Coordinates of all heavy atoms in Angstrom, one line a residue:
Chain A
E6 N 117.9 61.3 87.2 CA 116.8 61.1 88.1 C 116.8 61.8 89.4 O 115.8 61.9 90.1 CB 116.6 59.6 88.3 CG 116.1 58.9 87.0 CD 116.1 57.4 87.1 OE1 116.5 56.8 88.2 OE2 115.7 56.8 86.1
V7 N 118.0 62.3 89.8 CA 118.1 62.9 91.1 C 118.9 64.2 91.0 O 119.9 64.3 90.4 CB 118.9 62.0 92.1 CG1 119.0 62.6 93.5 CG2 118.2 60.6 92.2
Y8 N 118.2 65.3 91.6 CA 118.8 66.6 91.5 C 118.7 67.3 92.9 O 117.9 66.8 93.7 CB 118.2 67.5 90.5 CG 118.5 67.1 89.1 CD1 117.8 66.0 88.5 CD2 119.6 67.7 88.4 CE1 118.2 65.6 87.2 CE2 119.9 67.2 87.1 CZ 119.2 66.2 86.5 OH 119.6 65.8 85.3
D9 N 119.5 68.3 93.1 CA 119.3 69.1 94.4 C 118.0 70.0 94.2 O 117.2 70.1 95.1 CB 120.5 70.0 94.6 CG 121.7 69.2 95.0 OD1 121.6 68.2 95.7 OD2 122.8 69.5 94.5
V10 N 118.0 70.7 93.1 CA 116.9 71.6 92.8 C 116.3 71.4 91.5 O 116.9 71.3 90.5 CB 117.5 73.1 92.8 CG1 116.4 74.1 92.6 CG2 118.2 73.4 94.1
A11 N 114.9 71.2 91.5 CA 114.2 71.1 90.2 C 113.4 72.4 90.1 O 112.7 72.9 90.9 CB 113.2 69.9 90.3
V13 N 110.6 74.5 87.9 CA 109.5 74.3 87.0 C 109.2 75.6 86.2 O 108.7 76.6 86.8 CB 108.2 73.9 87.8 CG1 107.0 73.6 86.8 CG2 108.5 72.7 88.7
F36 N 112.7 72.6 83.9 CA 111.8 72.0 82.9 C 111.0 73.1 82.3 O 110.3 73.8 83.0 CB 110.9 71.0 83.6 CG 111.6 69.8 84.1 CD1 111.8 69.6 85.5 CD2 112.2 68.8 83.3 CE1 112.5 68.5 86.0 CE2 112.9 67.8 83.8 CZ 113.1 67.6 85.1
V127 N 105.9 69.6 83.5 CA 105.8 69.0 84.9 C 104.3 68.9 85.1 O 103.5 69.9 85.1 CB 106.4 69.9 85.9 CG1 106.1 69.4 87.3 CG2 107.9 70.0 85.7
T128 N 103.8 67.7 85.3 CA 102.4 67.4 85.4 C 101.9 67.3 86.9 O 100.8 67.5 87.2 CB 102.0 66.1 84.7 OG1 102.8 65.0 85.2 CG2 102.2 66.3 83.2
D129 N 102.9 67.0 87.8 CA 102.5 66.8 89.2 C 103.7 66.7 90.1 O 104.8 66.7 89.6 CB 101.7 65.4 89.3 CG 100.7 65.5 90.5 OD1 100.8 66.4 91.3 OD2 99.9 64.6 90.6
L130 N 103.5 66.8 91.4 CA 104.5 66.6 92.3 C 104.6 65.2 92.8 O 103.6 64.4 92.7 CB 104.3 67.5 93.6 CG 104.2 69.0 93.3 CD1 103.6 69.8 94.4 CD2 105.7 69.5 93.0
V131 N 105.8 64.7 93.2 CA 106.0 63.4 93.7 C 106.1 63.5 95.2 O 106.8 64.4 95.7 CB 107.2 62.7 93.1 CG1 107.4 61.3 93.7 CG2 107.2 62.7 91.6
R132 N 105.4 62.7 96.0 CA 105.5 62.8 97.4 C 105.9 61.4 98.0 O 105.6 60.4 97.4 CB 104.1 63.2 98.0 CG 103.7 64.6 97.7 CD 102.3 64.8 98.2 NE 101.8 66.1 97.7 CZ 101.9 67.2 98.4 NH1 102.4 67.2 99.5 NH2 101.4 68.3 97.8
K133 N 106.6 61.5 99.1 CA 106.9 60.3 99.9 C 106.4 60.5 101.3 O 106.9 61.5 101.9 CB 108.4 60.0 99.8 CG 108.7 58.6 100.3 CD 110.2 58.3 100.3 CE 110.5 57.0 100.9 NZ 111.9 56.7 101.1
A136 N 105.4 64.0 102.0 CA 106.4 65.1 101.8 C 106.8 65.2 100.3 O 107.0 64.2 99.7 CB 107.6 64.9 102.7
I137 N 106.9 66.4 99.8 CA 107.3 66.6 98.4 C 108.7 66.1 98.2 O 109.6 66.5 99.0 CB 107.2 68.1 98.0 CG1 105.7 68.5 98.0 CG2 107.8 68.3 96.6 CD1 105.4 70.0 97.9
C138 N 109.0 65.3 97.2 CA 110.3 64.8 97.0 C 110.7 64.8 95.5 O 111.8 64.2 95.2 CB 110.5 63.4 97.6 SG 109.5 62.2 96.9
G139 N 109.9 65.5 94.7 CA 110.3 65.5 93.3 C 109.1 65.9 92.4 O 108.1 66.4 92.9
V140 N 109.3 65.8 91.1 CA 108.3 66.1 90.2 C 108.0 65.0 89.1 O 108.9 64.2 88.8 CB 108.6 67.4 89.4 CG1 108.6 68.6 90.3 CG2 110.0 67.3 88.7
K141 N 106.8 65.0 88.6 CA 106.5 64.1 87.5 C 106.6 64.9 86.2 O 106.0 66.0 86.1 CB 105.1 63.5 87.6 CG 105.0 62.4 88.6 CD 103.5 61.9 88.6 CE 103.4 61.0 89.9 NZ 102.0 60.9 90.3
V142 N 107.3 64.4 85.2 CA 107.6 65.2 84.0 C 107.1 64.4 82.8 O 107.4 63.2 82.7 CB 109.1 65.5 83.9 CG1 109.3 66.4 82.7 CG2 109.7 66.1 85.1
R149 N 108.2 60.7 83.3 CA 109.4 60.4 84.1 C 109.2 61.0 85.5 O 108.5 61.9 85.7 CB 110.6 61.1 83.5 CG 111.0 60.6 82.1 CD 112.0 59.5 82.1 NE 113.3 60.0 82.8 CZ 114.3 60.5 82.1 NH1 114.3 60.6 80.8 NH2 115.4 60.8 82.8
V150 N 109.9 60.4 86.5 CA 109.9 60.9 87.8 C 111.3 61.5 88.1 O 112.3 60.8 87.8 CB 109.6 59.9 88.9 CG1 109.9 60.3 90.3 CG2 108.1 59.5 88.7
V151 N 111.4 62.7 88.5 CA 112.7 63.3 88.9 C 112.7 63.7 90.4 O 111.8 64.4 90.8 CB 113.0 64.5 88.0 CG1 114.2 65.3 88.5 CG2 113.3 64.1 86.6
R152 N 113.6 63.2 91.1 CA 113.6 63.5 92.5 C 114.5 64.8 92.8 O 115.4 65.0 92.1 CB 114.2 62.3 93.3 CG 113.4 61.1 93.1 CD 113.5 60.1 94.2 NE 112.6 59.0 93.9 CZ 111.3 59.0 94.3 NH1 110.9 59.8 95.2 NH2 110.5 58.0 93.9
A153 N 114.0 65.6 93.7 CA 114.8 66.8 94.0 C 114.5 67.2 95.5 O 113.5 66.9 96.1 CB 114.3 68.0 93.2
K154 N 115.6 67.8 96.1 CA 115.5 68.2 97.5 C 114.6 69.4 97.6 O 114.0 69.6 98.7 CB 116.9 68.4 98.1 CG 117.7 67.2 98.2 CD 119.1 67.4 98.6 CE 119.9 66.1 98.5 NZ 121.4 66.4 98.4
V155 N 114.6 70.3 96.6 CA 113.8 71.5 96.6 C 113.2 71.7 95.2 O 113.9 71.5 94.2 CB 114.6 72.8 97.0 CG1 113.7 74.0 97.1 CG2 115.4 72.6 98.3
V156 N 111.9 72.0 95.2 CA 111.2 72.4 93.9 C 111.0 73.9 93.9 O 110.4 74.4 94.9 CB 109.9 71.6 93.8 CG1 109.2 72.0 92.5 CG2 110.2 70.1 93.8
I166 N 101.5 74.2 89.6 CA 102.2 73.3 90.5 C 102.2 73.8 91.9 O 102.1 73.0 92.8 CB 103.7 73.3 90.0 CG1 103.7 72.5 88.6 CG2 104.6 72.6 91.0 CD1 103.2 71.1 88.6
D274 N 106.8 73.0 102.8 CA 108.1 72.3 102.9 C 108.5 71.8 101.5 O 107.8 71.2 100.8 CB 107.8 71.1 103.8 CG 107.6 71.5 105.3 OD1 107.9 72.7 105.6 OD2 107.2 70.6 106.1
R275 N 109.7 72.2 101.2 CA 110.4 71.7 100.0 C 109.9 72.3 98.7 O 110.3 71.9 97.6 CB 110.4 70.2 99.9 CG 111.1 69.5 101.0 CD 111.1 68.0 100.9 NE 112.4 67.5 101.4 CZ 112.9 66.4 100.9 NH1 112.4 65.7 99.9 NH2 114.1 65.9 101.4
L276 N 109.1 73.3 98.7 CA 108.6 73.9 97.5 C 108.4 75.4 97.7 O 107.9 75.9 98.7 CB 107.3 73.3 97.0 CG 106.8 73.9 95.7 CD1 106.3 72.8 94.7 CD2 105.6 74.9 96.0

Side-chain angles (χ1 to χ4, degrees):
Chain A
E6 286 172 1
V7 183
Y8 289 84
D9 293 321
V10 181
V13 184
F36 296 109
V127 174
T128 55
D129 208 345
L130 295 164
V131 180
R132 291 173 190 270
K133 191 181 175 190
I137 293 167
C138 63
V140 292
K141 283 180 194 159
V142 187
R149 299 265 301 264
V150 168
V151 169
R152 300 202 177 267
K154 292 173 186 159
V155 184
V156 176
I166 292 302
D274 289 347
R275 297 182 143 210
L276 180 137

